[in-house]
PDB file of all heavy atoms in Angstrom:
ATOM      1  N   ASN Z   1      35.328  57.765  55.477  1.00  0.00           N
ATOM      2  CA  ASN Z   1      35.345  59.188  55.108  1.00  0.00           C
ATOM      3  C   ASN Z   1      34.270  59.532  54.080  1.00  0.00           C
ATOM      4  O   ASN Z   1      34.007  60.705  53.811  1.00  0.00           O
ATOM      5  CB  ASN Z   1      36.730  59.606  54.600  1.00  0.00           C
ATOM      6  CG  ASN Z   1      37.127  58.907  53.304  1.00  0.00           C
ATOM      7  OD1 ASN Z   1      36.345  58.168  52.708  1.00  0.00           O
ATOM      8  ND2 ASN Z   1      38.363  59.126  52.863  1.00  0.00           N
ATOM      9  N   GLY Z   2      33.647  58.515  53.470  1.00  0.00           N
ATOM     10  CA  GLY Z   2      32.557  58.755  52.528  1.00  0.00           C
ATOM     11  C   GLY Z   2      32.987  59.219  51.159  1.00  0.00           C
ATOM     12  O   GLY Z   2      32.147  59.617  50.347  1.00  0.00           O
ATOM     13  N   ASP Z   3      34.282  59.165  50.854  1.00  0.00           N
ATOM     14  CA  ASP Z   3      34.793  59.662  49.575  1.00  0.00           C
ATOM     15  C   ASP Z   3      34.588  58.598  48.494  1.00  0.00           C
ATOM     16  O   ASP Z   3      35.256  57.569  48.488  1.00  0.00           O
ATOM     17  CB  ASP Z   3      36.274  60.006  49.707  1.00  0.00           C
ATOM     18  CG  ASP Z   3      36.813  60.732  48.474  1.00  0.00           C
ATOM     19  OD1 ASP Z   3      36.074  60.820  47.465  1.00  0.00           O
ATOM     20  OD2 ASP Z   3      37.966  61.204  48.520  1.00  0.00           O
ATOM     21  N   ILE Z   4      33.696  58.870  47.556  1.00  0.00           N
ATOM     22  CA  ILE Z   4      33.371  57.894  46.514  1.00  0.00           C
ATOM     23  C   ILE Z   4      34.446  57.848  45.434  1.00  0.00           C
ATOM     24  O   ILE Z   4      34.402  56.999  44.535  1.00  0.00           O
ATOM     25  CB  ILE Z   4      31.980  58.205  45.916  1.00  0.00           C
ATOM     26  CG1 ILE Z   4      31.386  56.947  45.275  1.00  0.00           C
ATOM     27  CG2 ILE Z   4      32.063  59.349  44.908  1.00  0.00           C
ATOM     28  CD1 ILE Z   4      29.970  57.082  44.834  1.00  0.00           C
ATOM     29  N   LEU Z   5      35.430  58.735  45.514  1.00  0.00           N
ATOM     30  CA  LEU Z   5      36.562  58.672  44.590  1.00  0.00           C
ATOM     31  C   LEU Z   5      37.572  57.601  45.007  1.00  0.00           C
ATOM     32  O   LEU Z   5      38.523  57.333  44.272  1.00  0.00           O
ATOM     33  CB  LEU Z   5      37.254  60.034  44.499  1.00  0.00           C
ATOM     34  CG  LEU Z   5      36.480  61.120  43.747  1.00  0.00           C
ATOM     35  CD1 LEU Z   5      37.189  62.461  43.848  1.00  0.00           C
ATOM     36  CD2 LEU Z   5      36.296  60.746  42.286  1.00  0.00           C
ATOM     37  N   GLU Z   6      37.388  57.023  46.179  1.00  0.00           N
ATOM     38  CA  GLU Z   6      38.250  55.943  46.636  1.00  0.00           C
ATOM     39  C   GLU Z   6      37.601  54.603  46.278  1.00  0.00           C
ATOM     40  O   GLU Z   6      36.461  54.330  46.678  1.00  0.00           O
ATOM     41  CB  GLU Z   6      38.493  56.045  48.142  1.00  0.00           C
ATOM     42  CG  GLU Z   6      39.246  57.316  48.537  1.00  0.00           C
ATOM     43  CD  GLU Z   6      39.606  57.344  50.012  1.00  0.00           C
ATOM     44  OE1 GLU Z   6      39.599  56.270  50.657  1.00  0.00           O
ATOM     45  OE2 GLU Z   6      39.899  58.441  50.514  1.00  0.00           O
ATOM     46  N   VAL Z   7      38.336  53.788  45.530  1.00  0.00           N
ATOM     47  CA  VAL Z   7      37.793  52.523  45.018  1.00  0.00           C
ATOM     48  C   VAL Z   7      37.342  51.609  46.151  1.00  0.00           C
ATOM     49  O   VAL Z   7      36.326  50.909  46.038  1.00  0.00           O
ATOM     50  CB  VAL Z   7      38.844  51.818  44.128  1.00  0.00           C
ATOM     51  CG1 VAL Z   7      38.364  50.434  43.706  1.00  0.00           C
ATOM     52  CG2 VAL Z   7      39.137  52.665  42.887  1.00  0.00           C
ATOM     53  N   THR Z   8      38.070  51.618  47.274  1.00  0.00           N
ATOM     54  CA  THR Z   8      37.675  50.764  48.407  1.00  0.00           C
ATOM     55  C   THR Z   8      36.298  51.142  48.932  1.00  0.00           C
ATOM     56  O   THR Z   8      35.527  50.268  49.346  1.00  0.00           O
ATOM     57  CB  THR Z   8      38.698  50.870  49.555  1.00  0.00           C
ATOM     58  OG1 THR Z   8      38.879  52.257  49.908  1.00  0.00           O
ATOM     59  CG2 THR Z   8      40.035  50.270  49.159  1.00  0.00           C
ATOM     60  N   ASN Z   9      35.977  52.418  48.900  1.00  0.00           N
ATOM     61  CA  ASN Z   9      34.649  52.853  49.349  1.00  0.00           C
ATOM     62  C   ASN Z   9      33.563  52.434  48.376  1.00  0.00           C
ATOM     63  O   ASN Z   9      32.453  52.065  48.783  1.00  0.00           O
ATOM     64  CB  ASN Z   9      34.627  54.374  49.540  1.00  0.00           C
ATOM     65  CG  ASN Z   9      35.355  54.804  50.796  1.00  0.00           C
ATOM     66  OD1 ASN Z   9      35.570  54.010  51.701  1.00  0.00           O
ATOM     67  ND2 ASN Z   9      35.747  56.066  50.852  1.00  0.00           N
ATOM     68  N   ILE Z  10      33.857  52.488  47.075  1.00  0.00           N
ATOM     69  CA  ILE Z  10      32.882  52.044  46.075  1.00  0.00           C
ATOM     70  C   ILE Z  10      32.602  50.555  46.246  1.00  0.00           C
ATOM     71  O   ILE Z  10      31.445  50.113  46.296  1.00  0.00           O
ATOM     72  CB  ILE Z  10      33.388  52.324  44.644  1.00  0.00           C
ATOM     73  CG1 ILE Z  10      33.456  53.844  44.386  1.00  0.00           C
ATOM     74  CG2 ILE Z  10      32.470  51.665  43.606  1.00  0.00           C
ATOM     75  CD1 ILE Z  10      34.030  54.208  43.027  1.00  0.00           C
ATOM     76  N   LYS Z  11      33.652  49.770  46.376  1.00  0.00           N
ATOM     77  CA  LYS Z  11      33.483  48.316  46.487  1.00  0.00           C
ATOM     78  C   LYS Z  11      32.758  47.930  47.780  1.00  0.00           C
ATOM     79  O   LYS Z  11      31.935  47.012  47.784  1.00  0.00           O
ATOM     80  CB  LYS Z  11      34.847  47.628  46.403  1.00  0.00           C
ATOM     81  CG  LYS Z  11      35.449  47.663  44.999  1.00  0.00           C
ATOM     82  CD  LYS Z  11      36.723  46.861  44.905  1.00  0.00           C
ATOM     83  CE  LYS Z  11      37.212  46.791  43.470  1.00  0.00           C
ATOM     84  NZ  LYS Z  11      38.450  45.984  43.326  1.00  0.00           N
ATOM     85  N   SER Z  12      33.055  48.646  48.867  1.00  0.00           N
ATOM     86  CA  SER Z  12      32.367  48.333  50.119  1.00  0.00           C
ATOM     87  C   SER Z  12      30.900  48.735  50.069  1.00  0.00           C
ATOM     88  O   SER Z  12      30.035  48.066  50.644  1.00  0.00           O
ATOM     89  CB  SER Z  12      33.071  49.011  51.308  1.00  0.00           C
ATOM     90  OG  SER Z  12      33.079  50.417  51.170  1.00  0.00           O
ATOM     91  N   LEU Z  13      30.577  49.813  49.337  1.00  0.00           N
ATOM     92  CA  LEU Z  13      29.179  50.217  49.145  1.00  0.00           C
ATOM     93  C   LEU Z  13      28.429  49.163  48.326  1.00  0.00           C
ATOM     94  O   LEU Z  13      27.292  48.806  48.648  1.00  0.00           O
ATOM     95  CB  LEU Z  13      29.108  51.584  48.460  1.00  0.00           C
ATOM     96  CG  LEU Z  13      27.705  52.107  48.119  1.00  0.00           C
ATOM     97  CD1 LEU Z  13      26.861  52.290  49.373  1.00  0.00           C
ATOM     98  CD2 LEU Z  13      27.783  53.417  47.341  1.00  0.00           C
ATOM     99  N   LEU Z  14      29.076  48.666  47.271  1.00  0.00           N
ATOM    100  CA  LEU Z  14      28.449  47.622  46.450  1.00  0.00           C
ATOM    101  C   LEU Z  14      28.194  46.367  47.283  1.00  0.00           C
ATOM    102  O   LEU Z  14      27.127  45.739  47.163  1.00  0.00           O
ATOM    103  CB  LEU Z  14      29.347  47.284  45.253  1.00  0.00           C
ATOM    104  CG  LEU Z  14      29.641  48.416  44.258  1.00  0.00           C
ATOM    105  CD1 LEU Z  14      30.495  47.908  43.104  1.00  0.00           C
ATOM    106  CD2 LEU Z  14      28.368  49.038  43.730  1.00  0.00           C
ATOM    107  N   ALA Z  15      29.149  46.012  48.130  1.00  0.00           N
ATOM    108  CA  ALA Z  15      28.980  44.839  48.988  1.00  0.00           C
ATOM    109  C   ALA Z  15      27.864  45.055  50.007  1.00  0.00           C
ATOM    110  O   ALA Z  15      27.069  44.147  50.295  1.00  0.00           O
ATOM    111  CB  ALA Z  15      30.291  44.525  49.704  1.00  0.00           C
ATOM    112  N   HIS Z  16      27.774  46.283  50.526  1.00  0.00           N
ATOM    113  CA  HIS Z  16      26.753  46.629  51.521  1.00  0.00           C
ATOM    114  C   HIS Z  16      25.342  46.512  50.936  1.00  0.00           C
ATOM    115  O   HIS Z  16      24.392  46.191  51.656  1.00  0.00           O
ATOM    116  CB  HIS Z  16      27.009  48.054  52.021  1.00  0.00           C
ATOM    117  CG  HIS Z  16      26.069  48.515  53.085  1.00  0.00           C
ATOM    118  ND1 HIS Z  16      26.116  48.054  54.380  1.00  0.00           N
ATOM    119  CD2 HIS Z  16      25.044  49.418  53.043  1.00  0.00           C
ATOM    120  CE1 HIS Z  16      25.171  48.639  55.093  1.00  0.00           C
ATOM    121  NE2 HIS Z  16      24.507  49.469  54.308  1.00  0.00           N
ATOM    122  N   CYS Z  17      25.214  46.762  49.623  1.00  0.00           N
ATOM    123  CA  CYS Z  17      23.893  46.789  48.979  1.00  0.00           C
ATOM    124  C   CYS Z  17      23.613  45.551  48.131  1.00  0.00           C
ATOM    125  O   CYS Z  17      22.597  45.513  47.412  1.00  0.00           O
ATOM    126  CB  CYS Z  17      23.784  48.030  48.081  1.00  0.00           C
ATOM    127  SG  CYS Z  17      23.934  49.601  48.943  1.00  0.00           S
ATOM    128  N   GLN Z  18      24.470  44.547  48.187  1.00  0.00           N
ATOM    129  CA  GLN Z  18      24.374  43.432  47.252  1.00  0.00           C
ATOM    130  C   GLN Z  18      23.079  42.632  47.368  1.00  0.00           C
ATOM    131  O   GLN Z  18      22.627  42.016  46.406  1.00  0.00           O
ATOM    132  CB  GLN Z  18      25.580  42.505  47.420  1.00  0.00           C
ATOM    133  CG  GLN Z  18      25.666  41.800  48.759  1.00  0.00           C
ATOM    134  CD  GLN Z  18      26.909  40.911  48.859  1.00  0.00           C
ATOM    135  OE1 GLN Z  18      27.611  40.713  47.870  1.00  0.00           O
ATOM    136  NE2 GLN Z  18      27.164  40.377  50.044  1.00  0.00           N
ATOM    137  N   ASP Z  19      22.452  42.638  48.540  1.00  0.00           N
ATOM    138  CA  ASP Z  19      21.217  41.868  48.718  1.00  0.00           C
ATOM    139  C   ASP Z  19      19.955  42.702  48.508  1.00  0.00           C
ATOM    140  O   ASP Z  19      18.841  42.209  48.720  1.00  0.00           O
ATOM    141  CB  ASP Z  19      21.187  41.247  50.119  1.00  0.00           C
ATOM    142  CG  ASP Z  19      22.304  40.235  50.324  1.00  0.00           C
ATOM    143  OD1 ASP Z  19      22.665  39.552  49.339  1.00  0.00           O
ATOM    144  OD2 ASP Z  19      22.830  40.146  51.454  1.00  0.00           O
ATOM    145  N   LEU Z  20      20.124  43.956  48.117  1.00  0.00           N
ATOM    146  CA  LEU Z  20      18.982  44.848  47.926  1.00  0.00           C
ATOM    147  C   LEU Z  20      18.616  44.962  46.449  1.00  0.00           C
ATOM    148  O   LEU Z  20      19.485  44.868  45.579  1.00  0.00           O
ATOM    149  CB  LEU Z  20      19.300  46.249  48.471  1.00  0.00           C
ATOM    150  CG  LEU Z  20      19.653  46.356  49.954  1.00  0.00           C
ATOM    151  CD1 LEU Z  20      20.043  47.788  50.288  1.00  0.00           C
ATOM    152  CD2 LEU Z  20      18.484  45.909  50.817  1.00  0.00           C
ATOM    153  N   GLU Z  21      17.345  45.185  46.178  1.00  0.00           N
ATOM    154  CA  GLU Z  21      16.913  45.499  44.817  1.00  0.00           C
ATOM    155  C   GLU Z  21      16.876  47.016  44.695  1.00  0.00           C
ATOM    156  O   GLU Z  21      16.038  47.683  45.313  1.00  0.00           O
ATOM    157  CB  GLU Z  21      15.537  44.908  44.521  1.00  0.00           C
ATOM    158  CG  GLU Z  21      15.076  45.192  43.099  1.00  0.00           C
ATOM    159  CD  GLU Z  21      13.704  44.631  42.792  1.00  0.00           C
ATOM    160  OE1 GLU Z  21      13.213  43.803  43.580  1.00  0.00           O
ATOM    161  OE2 GLU Z  21      13.116  45.044  41.775  1.00  0.00           O
ATOM    162  N   ILE Z  22      17.802  47.573  43.919  1.00  0.00           N
ATOM    163  CA  ILE Z  22      17.926  49.030  43.788  1.00  0.00           C
ATOM    164  C   ILE Z  22      17.198  49.474  42.517  1.00  0.00           C
ATOM    165  O   ILE Z  22      17.614  49.158  41.407  1.00  0.00           O
ATOM    166  CB  ILE Z  22      19.402  49.462  43.716  1.00  0.00           C
ATOM    167  CG1 ILE Z  22      20.201  48.878  44.887  1.00  0.00           C
ATOM    168  CG2 ILE Z  22      19.514  50.984  43.681  1.00  0.00           C
ATOM    169  CD1 ILE Z  22      19.839  49.418  46.237  1.00  0.00           C
ATOM    170  N   ASN Z  23      16.111  50.211  42.681  1.00  0.00           N
ATOM    171  CA  ASN Z  23      15.302  50.654  41.541  1.00  0.00           C
ATOM    172  C   ASN Z  23      15.664  52.057  41.049  1.00  0.00           C
ATOM    173  O   ASN Z  23      15.371  52.405  39.904  1.00  0.00           O
ATOM    174  CB  ASN Z  23      13.817  50.638  41.902  1.00  0.00           C
ATOM    175  CG  ASN Z  23      13.353  49.288  42.414  1.00  0.00           C
ATOM    176  OD1 ASN Z  23      12.911  49.170  43.547  1.00  0.00           O
ATOM    177  ND2 ASN Z  23      13.481  48.253  41.595  1.00  0.00           N
ATOM    178  N   LEU Z  24      16.260  52.851  41.927  1.00  0.00           N
ATOM    179  CA  LEU Z  24      16.585  54.236  41.572  1.00  0.00           C
ATOM    180  C   LEU Z  24      17.888  54.643  42.244  1.00  0.00           C
ATOM    181  O   LEU Z  24      18.080  54.413  43.435  1.00  0.00           O
ATOM    182  CB  LEU Z  24      15.456  55.180  42.023  1.00  0.00           C
ATOM    183  CG  LEU Z  24      15.723  56.692  41.908  1.00  0.00           C
ATOM    184  CD1 LEU Z  24      15.842  57.117  40.452  1.00  0.00           C
ATOM    185  CD2 LEU Z  24      14.614  57.489  42.610  1.00  0.00           C
ATOM    186  N   VAL Z  25      18.783  55.250  41.469  1.00  0.00           N
ATOM    187  CA  VAL Z  25      20.007  55.842  42.024  1.00  0.00           C
ATOM    188  C   VAL Z  25      20.043  57.312  41.634  1.00  0.00           C
ATOM    189  O   VAL Z  25      19.825  57.660  40.469  1.00  0.00           O
ATOM    190  CB  VAL Z  25      21.272  55.125  41.507  1.00  0.00           C
ATOM    191  CG1 VAL Z  25      22.529  55.851  42.000  1.00  0.00           C
ATOM    192  CG2 VAL Z  25      21.303  53.674  41.953  1.00  0.00           C
ATOM    193  N   THR Z  26      20.276  58.176  42.606  1.00  0.00           N
ATOM    194  CA  THR Z  26      20.432  59.601  42.322  1.00  0.00           C
ATOM    195  C   THR Z  26      21.862  60.021  42.673  1.00  0.00           C
ATOM    196  O   THR Z  26      22.395  59.630  43.703  1.00  0.00           O
ATOM    197  CB  THR Z  26      19.435  60.462  43.136  1.00  0.00           C
ATOM    198  OG1 THR Z  26      19.725  60.330  44.535  1.00  0.00           O
ATOM    199  CG2 THR Z  26      18.009  60.021  42.877  1.00  0.00           C
ATOM    200  N   CYS Z  27      22.482  60.793  41.792  1.00  0.00           N
ATOM    201  CA  CYS Z  27      23.863  61.252  41.983  1.00  0.00           C
ATOM    202  C   CYS Z  27      23.886  62.777  41.869  1.00  0.00           C
ATOM    203  O   CYS Z  27      23.653  63.324  40.797  1.00  0.00           O
ATOM    204  CB  CYS Z  27      24.785  60.646  40.935  1.00  0.00           C
ATOM    205  SG  CYS Z  27      24.693  58.847  40.804  1.00  0.00           S
ATOM    206  N   ASP Z  28      24.173  63.431  42.975  1.00  0.00           N
ATOM    207  CA  ASP Z  28      24.073  64.889  43.021  1.00  0.00           C
ATOM    208  C   ASP Z  28      25.392  65.524  43.490  1.00  0.00           C
ATOM    209  O   ASP Z  28      25.418  66.624  43.990  1.00  0.00           O
ATOM    210  CB  ASP Z  28      22.933  65.284  43.981  1.00  0.00           C
ATOM    211  CG  ASP Z  28      22.516  66.732  43.801  1.00  0.00           C
ATOM    212  OD1 ASP Z  28      22.573  67.214  42.661  1.00  0.00           O
ATOM    213  OD2 ASP Z  28      22.145  67.371  44.792  1.00  0.00           O
ATOM    214  N   GLY Z  29      26.491  64.783  43.320  1.00  0.00           N
ATOM    215  CA  GLY Z  29      27.775  65.257  43.839  1.00  0.00           C
ATOM    216  C   GLY Z  29      28.391  66.365  43.008  1.00  0.00           C
ATOM    217  O   GLY Z  29      28.065  66.556  41.838  1.00  0.00           O
ATOM    218  N   SER Z  30      29.317  67.080  43.636  1.00  0.00           N
ATOM    219  CA  SER Z  30      30.075  68.116  42.933  1.00  0.00           C
ATOM    220  C   SER Z  30      31.372  68.373  43.687  1.00  0.00           C
ATOM    221  O   SER Z  30      31.599  67.833  44.772  1.00  0.00           O
ATOM    222  CB  SER Z  30      29.266  69.408  42.807  1.00  0.00           C
ATOM    223  OG  SER Z  30      29.961  70.326  41.977  1.00  0.00           O
ATOM    224  N   ILE Z  31      32.227  69.185  43.090  1.00  0.00           N
ATOM    225  CA  ILE Z  31      33.503  69.587  43.685  1.00  0.00           C
ATOM    226  C   ILE Z  31      33.592  71.103  43.584  1.00  0.00           C
ATOM    227  O   ILE Z  31      33.197  71.685  42.569  1.00  0.00           O
ATOM    228  CB  ILE Z  31      34.689  68.926  42.949  1.00  0.00           C
ATOM    229  CG1 ILE Z  31      34.631  67.396  43.125  1.00  0.00           C
ATOM    230  CG2 ILE Z  31      36.025  69.462  43.453  1.00  0.00           C
ATOM    231  CD1 ILE Z  31      35.653  66.633  42.301  1.00  0.00           C
ATOM    232  N   ASP Z  32      34.098  71.736  44.609  1.00  0.00           N
ATOM    233  CA  ASP Z  32      34.227  73.197  44.632  1.00  0.00           C
ATOM    234  C   ASP Z  32      35.171  73.652  43.507  1.00  0.00           C
ATOM    235  O   ASP Z  32      36.338  73.276  43.475  1.00  0.00           O
ATOM    236  CB  ASP Z  32      34.765  73.642  45.989  1.00  0.00           C
ATOM    237  CG  ASP Z  32      34.784  75.164  46.134  1.00  0.00           C
ATOM    238  OD1 ASP Z  32      34.352  75.851  45.184  1.00  0.00           O
ATOM    239  OD2 ASP Z  32      35.226  75.653  47.185  1.00  0.00           O
ATOM    240  N   CYS Z  33      34.637  74.443  42.585  1.00  0.00           N
ATOM    241  CA  CYS Z  33      35.427  74.914  41.435  1.00  0.00           C
ATOM    242  C   CYS Z  33      35.531  76.434  41.410  1.00  0.00           C
ATOM    243  O   CYS Z  33      35.741  77.028  40.335  1.00  0.00           O
ATOM    244  CB  CYS Z  33      34.799  74.422  40.129  1.00  0.00           C
ATOM    245  SG  CYS Z  33      34.637  72.635  40.009  1.00  0.00           S
ATOM    246  N   LEU Z  34      35.378  77.081  42.564  1.00  0.00           N
ATOM    247  CA  LEU Z  34      35.390  78.547  42.603  1.00  0.00           C
ATOM    248  C   LEU Z  34      36.698  79.129  42.091  1.00  0.00           C
ATOM    249  O   LEU Z  34      36.720  80.210  41.494  1.00  0.00           O
ATOM    250  CB  LEU Z  34      35.141  79.031  44.039  1.00  0.00           C
ATOM    251  CG  LEU Z  34      33.684  78.956  44.531  1.00  0.00           C
ATOM    252  CD1 LEU Z  34      33.598  79.370  45.992  1.00  0.00           C
ATOM    253  CD2 LEU Z  34      32.776  79.840  43.676  1.00  0.00           C
ATOM    254  N   ASP Z  35      37.810  78.434  42.299  1.00  0.00           N
ATOM    255  CA  ASP Z  35      39.102  78.943  41.851  1.00  0.00           C
ATOM    256  C   ASP Z  35      39.314  78.760  40.355  1.00  0.00           C
ATOM    257  O   ASP Z  35      40.108  79.478  39.744  1.00  0.00           O
ATOM    258  CB  ASP Z  35      40.248  78.249  42.607  1.00  0.00           C
ATOM    259  CG  ASP Z  35      40.243  78.589  44.091  1.00  0.00           C
ATOM    260  OD1 ASP Z  35      39.730  79.676  44.444  1.00  0.00           O
ATOM    261  OD2 ASP Z  35      40.740  77.773  44.894  1.00  0.00           O
ATOM    262  N   GLU Z  36      38.619  77.788  39.761  1.00  0.00           N
ATOM    263  CA  GLU Z  36      38.747  77.521  38.325  1.00  0.00           C
ATOM    264  C   GLU Z  36      37.371  77.258  37.708  1.00  0.00           C
ATOM    265  O   GLU Z  36      37.095  76.160  37.227  1.00  0.00           O
ATOM    266  CB  GLU Z  36      39.644  76.307  38.074  1.00  0.00           C
ATOM    267  CG  GLU Z  36      41.089  76.469  38.466  1.00  0.00           C
ATOM    268  CD  GLU Z  36      41.899  75.230  38.110  1.00  0.00           C
ATOM    269  OE1 GLU Z  36      42.284  75.088  36.927  1.00  0.00           O
ATOM    270  OE2 GLU Z  36      42.108  74.389  39.000  1.00  0.00           O
TER     271      GLU Z  36
END
């Protein structure tokens, strides 16, 4: 489902990238806050 708020998804992403050299990470996420 791609939800990074789920720990299983975070851990599987880390495992997926474990052999890569990651030089840059960009985080552009948000949550709809129109009601609040």
